[in-house]
Amino acid sequence: MNRGSDHKEQFYGLDTINVHFLDKASKLPLVISPRFDDSIEFICTWLKENRSWVNNQMQHYGAVLIRGFQIDSPVDFEMTTLALDPNLSDKYRGTSPRSLQKDTKYA
């Protein structure tokens, strides 16, 4: 796998990732994994470019699992999440205590 992008121009279509089901019998959850480039830069750009498609898949399947990319810290997780939804709310409405991770607003 490419551990970073050396290309100035890159195509971010569906053929640049793998899409499959974790459990083929139940067809849940839908999994997005690297095909060529597993860098956080790639998945963040890919999510921005394909936001509508990913949101449609989440509505259809209830969830999308993004795995195999270089998302190694709470900061990386937050960056990836914001790539998919830049308008996240930081208003916590749950009943369980929540502790933010260092250097994050949402994770």
Side-chain angles (χ1 to χ4, degrees):
M1 292 217 186
N2 182 3
R3 295 276 178 183
S5 178
D6 297 331
H7 304 127
K8 295 279 185 199
E9 280 185 40
Q10 192 165 9
F11 178 68
Y12 293 97
L14 291 177
D15 62 344
T16 60
I17 50 125
N18 292 315
V19 178
H20 55 91
F21 295 103
L22 191 60
D23 180 356
K24 291 178 183 161
S26 68
K27 295 194 174 180
L28 292 173
L30 185 70
V31 178
I32 297 173
S33 60
R35 186 168 190 186
F36 306 112
D37 187 345
D38 66 348
S39 69
I40 189 159
E41 294 82 7
F42 173 82
I43 191 57
C44 286
T45 302
W46 190 90
L47 287 168
K48 288 175 189 174
E49 296 292 322
N50 295 282
R51 189 175 292 146
S52 177
W53 182 85
V54 175
N55 285 329
N56 287 338
Q57 302 313 302
M58 286 194 295
Q59 284 187 320
H60 182 68
Y61 294 106
V64 173
L65 176 60
I66 298 170
R67 74 184 322 182
F69 294 93
Q70 294 179 40
I71 303 170
D72 300 323
S73 70
V75 174
D76 293 346
F77 178 79
E78 182 172 274
M79 186 171 27
T80 305
T81 305
L82 287 169
L84 185 59
D85 187 351
N87 299 313
L88 286 178
S89 173
D90 63 350
K91 304 289 185 246
Y92 181 69
R93 298 184 180 167
T95 57
S96 300
R98 181 168 182 265
S99 299
L100 287 175
Q101 298 296 309
K102 184 178 180 192
D103 299 324
T104 69
K105 183 176 179 180
Y106 302 101

